[in-house]
Amino acid sequence: MRSVGVGALMAGDPLLSVRDLHVRFATERGDVNAVNGVSFDLHEGQTLAIVGESGSGKSVTAKTLMNLLPRSARVSGEVTYGGHDVRALAAAGTKHFFGVQMTMVFQDPMTSLNPVKRVGEQIAETLRYHLGRSRSEARSEAVELLDTVGVPEPARRVRQYPHELSGGLRQRVVIAMALACRPRLLIADEPTTAVDVTVQKHLLDLLDDLRRRRGMSMILITHDLGVARGRADDVAVMYAGRVVETADADTLFADMRHPYTEALLRSIPRIEDPVHHRLDPIQGRPPESIDPPEACAFAPRCAYAQSDCLNGVPELDGLLGLHRFACLHPTGTERGAAAMSANQAAGVTAAGMPVGGDR
Amino acid sequence: MARFVLRRVALLLAVLFAVTFLGFAAMNLLGDPLVNVVGVLAELDCDAIEAGTAEDTTVDAASRDCDTVAAARAEYHLDRAVPVRYGLWLGDMATGDFGTSFQNDQPVSQVIREKLPETVILLVMAQAVALGLAVPWGVLAAYRANRAFDRGSTVASFGLLSVPNFALGVVLLYLLALRWQIFPSAYESDSVSGLLFSMVLPALTLGLPLAASYQRLLRTDLITTLQEDYVHMARAKGLPPMRIMFRHALRPSLFSVVTVFGVSTGTLIGGSLVVEQIFGIPGIGREIVTAVIRDDFPVVLAIVMVVAVTFVVLNFLVDLLYSWLDPRVRAR
Ligand SMILES: Nc1ncnc2c1ncn2[C@@H]1O[C@H](COP(=O)(O)OP(=O)(O)OP(=O)(O)O)[C@@H](O)[C@H]1O
Ligand code: SF4
Ligand SMILES: [Mg+2]
């Protein structure tokens, strides 16, 4: 048992680095390939948004980083934090790494607090364990933390149980709990899906503000590309366990190349839309992750799909850290435009999806 | 809280009423209670003797047989119909008069006072053995679920659960008392420590199978709890595994154990009939066996009542435990 002190990084070195991550679950129905070769870097003080539909492997990726997968998971690839192999640190039972260096908040605040412990205790316990605070020090720090995350009457709240708090307050408690030991990296897995839209925006802004003030790095996981806009430095779009497009946020929003990213963007509600504006949900459903065919996974739902899309999985082109995308007929390029007009002329894509002429 | 207690008291009264009524009815309808009290004298035709048409065969003139019969009839209200008799008997009970044992003319309250402590000690020790073993055992099995230790535990606990009490008792007696001579083989009451020490084997006999069932329940519930988000959250907070087990996962996983704890007392009392016999403990278990055989119905009814009260009180405690285990129950 030892603790890991990750000091100053060498200039240019990433805080977190993920290379060729694969995660497979052996289930009764067959192997589920939840993550298929994900790579990215995250630099100190930056935010990476991982965006994708349900089932695209976002949570599995996050749990791999935190070493939280069940034993049925088969993991390969490399995850390093400040140059240390994270899974090796976890296997060695390294103290004061998770929770202090990196930590995570989960999708659902209703279930991520222990129902039988007072919220104050749940915040204080990390302070006591990691930072050796006394009971009373930890208690008053817990009150301060709740105040920081905007919980009204924090001194009363610490003595309450989770079921006595609203969903929004609970998620604030979870955030306070995660931030207690001032972690350098926070993984936020759809931290706001379970609360209503106005609360959602408050919480995201709060997280963003705290991140800035504390110089923390963050991985923000969401299915809503709109959440990433304005909050993330980099964006990685995931589909069927793969990163299909990644770039810095400005480039991605200005110059997206992958048809899936384009479809995701069209499915975001915008404030300026008229009230009953019809959103364009992405047609079809994400593919089964058991025995996927050797083809572009998005092809059955892609308006650009050509016959070459069905022969093999497109590579994620380009250098790590630059704008990369895995598509043979990228939107906004001549190849893409040609593919689209060919499909419109035929009324159907090479994968058999009907396309209207007026899109 | 006041309403909660009131509801419990009402329940206690209802249970006592039902239990005693059934017991009373059974004891009165399944045999002639008069025979149980006065034996063959019940066959005397005292009315005829009074009327002079039959011969009084009494040997000792100082206590005429017919007087004895009349006294018994009066004490147990045997001239009345069974429901009335029950009502009168309840009245006696309410004034603290538990009646007299048919077997030896001891007041029933004295019988209970003498025998009950031994059984209470036995049952408390058995529960202590069961819980003390089951918690670490269940935690380890769940921590390494489906690995060697867990699989071994499954076999061991099914083994313990399928061995009858008397067999386990005899095996423990043979190995630990006769062969290795660690514990005494029979009940001792010379000193408190001697008494407790001699109760270890009986407590193990009753407690081990119970530990096995507690362990199964705790293991299953823990495995479910360990998949909860808040356990993942605790891991993401960097807390060490055993701290997560005991501080986060254990309490929410104790519901089934507590529920079975509440009802296990009945099973344990059943087991104590056998175990007290094997180890020669003069407790309630042995007493009820002889009382039933001799149709000593005041004693049987009193013991049945004591058991019923214990049962209701324990389940009242179990409800309090639930609300300690889960604050959401308190809100109800
Ligand atoms: N323990 C597991 N065993 C088997 N399959 C799993 C397990 N955990 C996740 N999966 C599968 O891995 C795939 C990716 O799941 P993941 O939870 O990462 O999706 P997600 O992108 O987080 O979706 P959501 O937006 O719904 O949270 C899914 O097909 C899921 O069924
Ligand atoms: S154009 Fe082809 S490669 Fe690109 S997303 Fe569509 S199907 Fe996949
Ligand atoms: Mg998820």
Side-chain angles (χ1 to χ4, degrees):
Chain A
M1 302 268 182
R2 62 210 173 88
S3 61
V4 58
V6 180
L9 298 162
M10 302 280 278
D13 277 358
L15 178 64
L16 183 80
S17 167
V18 177
R19 288 293 175 279
D20 201 26
L21 190 68
H22 289 260
V23 182
R24 190 160 46 84
F25 295 99
T27 69
E28 279 138 31
R29 296 191 302 131
D31 281 2
V32 176
N33 294 295
V35 177
N36 300 301
V38 164
S39 301
F40 60 80
D41 280 340
L42 177 66
H43 289 272
E44 182 101 68
Q46 301 257 298
T47 298
L48 166 71
I50 300 182
V51 188
E53 281 174 298
S54 192
S56 53
K58 308 180 299 289
S59 295
V60 172
T61 304
K63 285 183 179 161
T64 317
L65 305 183
M66 293 297 298
N67 199 48
L68 290 175
L69 290 177
R71 273 196 285 127
S72 61
R74 298 284 160 267
V75 181
S76 71
E78 198 176 74
V79 180
T80 55
Y81 176 93
H84 300 269
D85 185 296
V86 170
R87 279 186 296 144
L89 291 179
T94 308
K95 285 183 179 175
H96 313 309
F97 176 69
F98 293 115
V100 181
Q101 293 293 333
M102 60 194 272
T103 193
M104 178 165 172
V105 297
F106 296 88
Q107 229 153 319
D108 189 352
M110 299 300 168
T111 56
S112 45
L113 289 170
N114 189 331
V116 308
K117 288 172 80 100
R118 294 174 203 278
V119 299
E121 265 176 78
Q122 298 191 50
I123 300 172
E125 70 178 338
T126 42
L127 293 165
R128 301 189 61 201
Y129 176 69
H130 291 304
L131 307 182
R133 300 282 196 268
S134 73
R135 199 176 284 274
S136 60
E137 285 168 346
R139 173 175 286 263
S140 57
E141 263 180 74
V143 175
E144 283 165 34
L145 277 160
L146 285 185
D147 192 44
T148 311
V149 298
V151 171
E153 301 179 81
R156 186 166 70 87
R157 298 293 180 187
V158 288
R159 278 179 278 110
Q160 290 186 313
Y161 288 96
H163 72 270
E164 300 174 90
L165 306 180
S166 69
L169 279 186
R170 279 191 230 189
Q171 196 58 296
R172 283 177 199 266
V173 170
V174 172
I175 291 170
M177 195 159 85
L179 296 186
C181 298
R182 301 193 155 256
R184 275 170 88 175
L185 168 60
L186 175 70
I187 302 174
D189 186 356
E190 313 214 37
T192 56
T193 34
V195 294
D196 69 57
V197 190
T198 43
V199 180
Q200 180 174 351
K201 186 172 180 311
H202 278 300
L203 286 174
L204 287 167
D205 291 344
L206 169 74
L207 261 184
D208 210 36
D209 178 52
L210 288 167
R211 183 190 66 79
R212 265 179 236 283
R213 278 196 277 152
R214 297 181 167 204
M216 191 169 68
S217 313
M218 183 154 87
I219 296 180
L220 180 62
I221 294 175
T222 172
H223 58 261
D224 182 352
L225 204 47
V227 164
R229 183 174 244 163
R231 295 192 178 90
D233 299 293
D234 294 307
V235 179
V237 177
M238 278 188 80
Y239 190 76
R242 287 191 169 78
V243 173
V244 293
E245 180 162 16
T246 177
D248 64 88
D250 296 339
T251 309
L252 188 103
F253 283 106
D255 226 5
M256 62 187 55
R257 285 287 173 263
H258 201 284
Y260 177 60
T261 315
E262 190 185 37
L264 273 182
L265 192 67
R266 268 211 294 265
S267 67
I268 305 176
R270 273 168 309 194
I271 314 238
E272 60 270 23
D273 284 342
V275 179
H276 290 294
H277 176 82
R278 215 184 101 256
L279 289 172
D280 261 332
I282 309 177
Q283 289 180 31
R285 303 198 327 113
E288 276 286 327
S289 36
I290 298 173
D291 288 332
E294 278 291 304
C296 173
F298 191 55
R301 306 166 71 189
C302 177
Y304 298 80
Q306 300 297 303
S307 56
D308 53 351
C309 303
L310 304 175
N311 300 322
V313 182
E315 291 284 318
L316 188 60
D317 280 332
L319 290 174
L320 198 70
L322 299 177
H323 188 179
R324 313 173 77 196
F325 45 90
C327 177
L328 302 175
H329 307 277
T331 175
T333 66
E334 276 175 31
R335 275 182 70 84
M340 177 60 96
S341 47
N343 284 348
Q344 280 172 345
V348 66
T349 70
M353 186 182 84
V355 275
D358 58 347
R359 277 171 68 100
Chain B
M1 190 64 200
R3 260 186 51 210
F4 181 62
V5 173
L6 270 181
R7 273 213 306 264
R8 284 291 140 175
V9 172
L11 176 69
L12 175 63
L13 291 178
V15 167
L16 282 184
F17 186 77
V19 160
T20 52
F21 186 78
L22 286 177
F24 195 87
M27 296 303 290
N28 277 278
L29 299 178
L30 294 182
D32 182 353
L34 188 60
V35 176
N36 300 325
V37 190
V38 297
V40 288
L41 295 187
E43 284 166 24
L44 283 178
D45 189 348
C46 286
D47 292 341
I49 293 171
E50 291 294 320
T53 54
E55 195 183 339
D56 186 352
T57 53
T58 309
V59 185
D60 177 6
S63 66
R64 289 176 50 236
D65 287 346
C66 279
D67 292 345
T68 313
V69 172
R73 280 183 188 280
E75 178 172 358
Y76 300 106
H77 315 294
L78 295 181
D79 293 328
R80 309 300 193 82
V82 172
V84 179
R85 216 186 285 166
Y86 174 67
L88 292 169
W89 178 78
L90 266 191
D92 290 346
M93 298 293 280
T95 59
D97 175 9
F98 284 70
T100 315
S101 163
F102 291 169
Q103 299 169 65
N104 49 15
D105 287 339
Q106 265 187 357
V108 172
S109 51
Q110 189 189 334
V111 175
I112 301 284
R113 215 175 316 121
E114 277 173 14
K115 314 277 170 157
L116 190 60
E118 315 297 325
T119 303
V120 168
I121 292 172
L122 174 63
L123 298 194
V124 168
M125 281 176 71
Q127 288 286 9
V129 164
L131 288 170
L133 281 177
V135 168
W137 189 8
V139 165
L140 279 181
Y143 182 58
R144 292 263 172 256
N146 297 322
R147 305 250 186 109
F149 178 79
D150 185 32
R151 287 175 197 278
S153 306
T154 305
V155 175
S157 52
F158 279 116
L160 278 175
L161 284 170
S162 50
V163 176
N165 265 329
F166 70 87
L168 182 61
V170 169
V171 169
L172 290 177
L173 192 63
Y174 174 71
L175 289 179
L176 295 174
L178 303 181
R179 187 111 184 227
W180 298 321
Q181 314 207 331
I182 302 173
F183 296 104
S185 63
Y187 174 76
E188 287 175 14
S189 56
D190 313 345
S191 63
V192 174
S193 59
L195 172 75
L196 294 180
F197 200 54
S198 74
M199 287 281 201
V200 170
L201 285 186
L204 281 175
T205 308
L206 287 176
L208 283 178
L210 192 57
S213 52
Y214 286 163
Q215 185 266 348
R216 299 309 302 160
L217 295 168
L218 180 58
R219 171 196 175 273
T220 309
D221 286 6
L222 263 177
I223 288 175
T224 312
T225 306
L226 289 177
Q227 280 153 17
E228 296 282 347
D229 278 353
Y230 60 83
V231 171
H232 282 131
M233 187 73 213
R235 289 173 64 190
K237 280 153 76 175
L239 301 176
M242 278 302 145
R243 186 180 282 239
I244 294 174
M245 273 286 186
F246 285 100
R247 304 259 175 100
H248 283 268
L250 184 60
R251 229 169 91 187
S253 310
L254 282 174
F255 279 84
S256 313
V257 170
V258 165
T259 306
V260 172
F261 171 82
V263 296
S264 66
T265 305
T267 323
L268 282 188
I269 289 175
S272 74
L273 304 190
V274 175
V275 168
E276 289 183 7
Q277 214 72 43
I278 297 177
F279 292 92
I281 300 168
I284 289 286
R286 249 170 55 156
E287 184 63 27
I288 198 167
V289 173
T290 38
V292 166
I293 291 173
R294 305 204 182 148
D295 282 328
D296 189 352
F297 93 91
V299 172
V300 173
L301 279 180
I303 292 180
V304 165
M305 275 188 57
V306 167
V307 172
V309 172
T310 316
F311 208 77
V312 173
V313 169
L314 265 181
N315 280 287
F316 176 64
L317 287 182
V318 162
D319 280 342
L320 292 180
L321 268 178
Y322 281 143
S323 62
W324 172 74
L325 286 178
D326 190 344
R328 286 168 298 185
V329 176
R330 273 169 243 172
R332 270 207 332 240

